[in-house]
Amino acid sequence: MSEERIHQARAALARAEQHWKVQVSCLSGGADGVIARAFGDTFLGDHISIGGLAPIGLHEVLCGHDDCAASLLAWYLATVSGPDAASPEVPKGIFWIRQRRALDQGGFYALSLPMAAMKPEPLMMAVDQQATALWTCEEVAKSGQVHAVILETTDYDLTTARRLQLACESGGARIIVLRPLARDGRIPTSSAWTRWQITPVNALSSPGPSTGRPTGNDHYLSLIGGRGVRPGSWKVKTDATTFSLSVADPLENRLSADIPKDRHAHA
Amino acid sequence: MITRSDHKGVLVCGLNAAAQKAGLHGGMRLSDARSILPDLKDSPEDAELCDGKFARLVRFMDRYSPWIAPDRDLHARGLHGDAGMWLEITGGSHLFGGESAMIKQILRDMKNQGTAARAAIADTAGAAWAAARCHPGASHERILSLPRDHGVAAGFPVSCLRLSDDIIAVLARLGLKQLGDITPLPRANITTRLGPDVLHRLDQFYGRLPEHLNFELPDAPWLIKQSFGEPLGSADTLAHAIESMVADLCAKLRSDNLGLRRLLVRAIRVDGQTHTITTTTGTACQSESHILRLLAEKMPGVDTGFGIEQVIVYAPWVEHVAFRQVRLDRKNDDSSDAIALAQLLDRIAHHLGPKDILYRPAHHASHLPERAAIRQSPTGPPKLARLSDAPLPKRPVRLIDPPEPVDVIERSATGAPTKLRWRKMILEVLRADGPERICPEWWGYLDRDNYALSQMTRDYFRICDQQGRMIWLFRSGHAGQDIWSVHGLFAG
């Protein structure tokens, strides 16, 4: 009897280990992890190919300085597929939920999306209450009828983050949350798979040609935390016309000194 | 007394019994009424209140028959302070103990609702209308069976034929005051002297011509009604009853390849109060599980009180369901993405608040950014999300609508801002691109001259501030009195 139990326990452990390996292979911070895959050789091409981003799960984009670049990054993260992901026969769309006044730089302007992003047409929603936004996000993610949900909301607690994570796993969807930073710059607690931040490069430090057209598309993209993630930062160029990012200068771990010391505890 | 003001002055349109006894009548002037009764108290008519009350009465009366036709002509005239409705009770009076008992019950219920009413039963709608107003019998004995009660009908005044005031005046001048005075006359003479309306109404009265009534319910309603001998006292039993009735309704709809778009569930309590739940779906729906899930959100609001004695499930809006492929195992493919997405949108739409919106973005042919992006229903007929023949210039990722005013402190020689104050922040403009001139659509302002249109013209600039943000702002207004506003932000 005891041997049988031990055998069952070993089998359960093997299954768990196998499951853990699959996840870690996607998101580990090592040489084969998300950082190397996402911002390695592929990243140095014209566009980012985040092959390591978990297709199912909660991801956060923290908004501090530039909500527009954060919106672009959220759309990019929501639409990017892994290198091995087979495209579904009928592509599923994006569901964008906006809680009014969560971010203070206006609402997402759908006509800024490139033509290709309109197939299938995204679903948009604007609500007043955070409870409605969170309920809708959970319901949509659980339904499995959309590829990803982008949620603009105010601060929420760890329990809510875990509920959203469970909804993702239940419906096989990806949730990208646009979450404002605290006023003191503190990074809020969360259980998201990955957490990103994008900030514009200070124009004073790189004024560019004085007579040229304004660029304003140089940003620092930071992977600031997550599960099994090694933080890093890269200088990227955003292209709002095609809603894409491209690497300008890889500066891995540049922000390691800027990120709060309790980062690992939160992550 | 209730009054109504129109071009003729203030007219009387509602009276209580005391005023009627004093000789007042609807349609007379308020000054004339005051000369008869100086202590008259009057208040202006509230049309919405009257309509709502009457609609509730119509809904209330559907316990006696699903076929209810409000008297719209009378309601439109409305100066006599009364309203009416017809109930088609053919074959149903025995359920209430006979015709006389049914009239008694109706009058009692109307009195409990706070409404003074007269009721009558007759073979035709016109005869019922006349008998309710002119029958000399007691209140519960106004039953007119025409072959038998021809003598009673002959004593009705001609006004019971629902004729215009002019025709009634002519008839009175001719000494034709009762139906018995008209019926012996030659028909050709009546038509020649008085027009076709008199004979038309007379034939409808005696059933020689049909009368079409506008019933509140359609001709083939998807309606299931269930009465309970023992009132339902708990919400669980009520939910169970509704569940079985909705399942029956969906089975009927499936057999006719129809799907419902709107469903009414009405619970009638023993004390006469009704509670109605309305649910709407984005597409034609045959799935009872989905409908019950939508209803479940609103069921907690139902107060069963002393018990529910009757439940009505009614689908006033049904549509044909497009053909769908059926799986080889004979199960309907309800899990297809389109149906599941439509059901998801239904659930979300039922959960939204009054200010919350759910939409698909669409492109409208307009130069103005806030008008170019419109919202379309997620389940409605699709529009193009982007007009392919209208290439857009670079547009911001986030649009501030309405635009926020901004103070321009310094400007360059070209007119582009170099320093400005926005949200209490001083922004140093490092680079500026523009202007991009956007004019209002001239076809929408044909009544305005060029000078007026020039004030609405906007010159947009894309500026990059010291923080690296790309801001989209525009200048409008008169030359020299520019108004600057921030309209959006770019991501690069």
Side-chain angles (χ1 to χ4, degrees), chain B residues 107-422:
Chain B
L107 292 176
R108 189 172 63 241
D109 285 346
M110 295 294 272
K111 188 177 180 183
N112 291 338
Q113 292 288 318
T115 304
R118 297 166 65 92
I121 294 177
D123 297 332
T124 64
W129 196 95
R133 288 159 178 79
C134 310
H135 199 288
S139 60
H140 62 281
E141 293 175 352
R142 294 187 179 123
I143 301 169
L144 190 70
S145 182
L146 279 176
R148 186 189 65 200
D149 300 329
H150 188 76
V152 178
F156 288 176
V158 291
S159 59
C160 74
L161 289 180
R162 294 173 285 162
L163 299 169
S164 64
D165 294 339
D166 298 338
I167 296 177
I168 291 174
V170 173
L171 288 169
R173 243 190 347 259
L174 295 173
L176 305 175
K177 296 181 180 178
Q178 295 178 342
L179 292 188
D181 301 334
I182 299 177
T183 47
L185 296 178
R187 294 174 63 87
N189 291 355
I190 295 176
T191 306
T192 306
R193 298 287 297 272
L194 302 169
D197 286 348
V198 177
L199 281 185
H200 183 79
R201 288 297 190 189
L202 197 64
D203 289 343
Q204 285 183 338
F205 183 93
Y206 286 106
R208 292 190 286 262
L209 277 180
E211 181 164 2
H212 298 287
L213 301 176
N214 292 322
F215 289 103
E216 286 287 290
L217 299 182
D219 197 23
W222 299 97
L223 183 143
I224 294 179
K225 180 188 286 187
Q226 196 167 350
S227 300
F228 304 97
E230 187 68 27
L232 306 178
S234 70
D236 291 339
T237 52
L238 175 64
H240 185 70
I242 291 175
E243 186 178 338
S244 65
M245 294 169 73
V246 169
D248 293 344
L249 180 65
C250 288
K252 285 173 64 178
L253 291 171
R254 273 195 294 271
S255 64
D256 289 346
N257 196 30
L258 294 172
L260 64 86
R261 292 290 307 275
R262 182 174 295 142
L263 181 75
L264 299 177
V265 176
R266 185 168 298 158
I268 302 169
R269 298 196 321 204
V270 291
D271 57 357
Q273 296 294 320
T274 62
H275 191 104
T276 304
I277 304 172
T278 307
T279 184
T280 309
T281 60
T283 56
C285 178
Q286 298 175 330
S287 168
E288 58 261 34
S289 60
H290 175 58
I291 295 165
L292 290 172
R293 187 170 179 179
L294 297 180
L295 288 174
E297 287 198 14
K298 299 182 178 179
M299 283 297 291
V302 179
D303 180 16
T304 56
F306 295 108
I308 303 291
E309 65 175 0
Q310 193 176 63
V311 176
I312 298 172
V313 174
Y314 171 46
W317 181 10
V318 296
E319 284 182 355
H320 279 280
V321 177
F323 173 76
R324 294 195 187 97
Q325 182 71 44
V326 178
R327 298 194 316 196
L328 288 177
D329 55 2
R330 309 290 295 171
K331 292 181 181 175
N332 289 333
D333 194 12
D334 281 341
S335 61
S336 65
D337 287 345
I339 298 175
L341 183 60
Q343 294 182 352
L344 170 69
L345 296 179
D346 285 343
R347 291 201 301 275
I348 294 173
H350 277 69
H351 199 81
L352 295 185
K355 292 182 181 177
D356 303 335
I357 48 173
L358 173 64
Y359 63 97
R360 286 188 191 275
H363 189 185
H364 176 63
S366 174
H367 301 307
L368 300 177
E370 65 271 19
R371 291 189 192 171
I374 59 172
R375 296 162 177 169
Q376 62 171 328
S377 168
T379 56
K383 296 178 184 174
L384 285 177
R386 176 70 66 82
L387 298 175
S388 57
D389 57 347
L392 281 177
K394 198 168 186 177
R395 286 291 173 256
V397 174
R398 300 189 78 90
L399 192 76
I400 297 174
D401 190 19
E404 288 184 7
V406 61
D407 297 330
V408 173
I409 301 172
E410 292 178 6
R411 279 196 283 178
S412 66
T414 60
T418 57
K419 189 176 185 180
L420 50 93
R421 182 188 296 112
W422 180 47

Side-chain angles (χ1 to χ4, degrees), chain A residues 97-120:
Chain A
I97 303 168
R98 178 191 172 212
Q99 179 190 337
R100 295 188 185 96
R101 292 183 292 278
L103 305 180
D104 63 351
Q105 293 186 1
F108 183 73
Y109 190 54
L111 291 186
S112 64
L113 287 169
M115 188 80 94
M118 291 292 193
K119 294 177 182 176

Side-chain angles (χ1 to χ4, degrees), chain A residues 169-247:
Chain A
E169 295 172 4
S170 172
R174 185 185 298 166
I175 294 179
I176 314 293
V177 181
L178 285 164
R179 185 177 189 180
L181 271 176
R183 289 192 179 277
D184 56 358
R186 184 180 56 84
I187 298 175
T189 309
S190 177
S191 62
W193 276 108
T194 57
R195 313 183 74 190
W196 305 80
Q197 190 171 8
I198 187 166
T199 53
V201 175
N202 191 330
L204 287 175
S205 61
S206 57
S210 58
T211 56
R213 296 166 68 85
T215 55
N217 56 357
D218 293 331
H219 289 79
Y220 287 122
L221 173 64
S222 307
L223 179 59
I224 59 175
R227 299 190 197 179
V229 167
R230 187 175 59 170
S233 180
W234 302 266
K235 189 176 180 182
V236 296
K237 284 188 178 298
T238 57
D239 186 354
T241 308
T242 58
F243 261 62
S244 61
L245 304 169
S246 59
V247 171

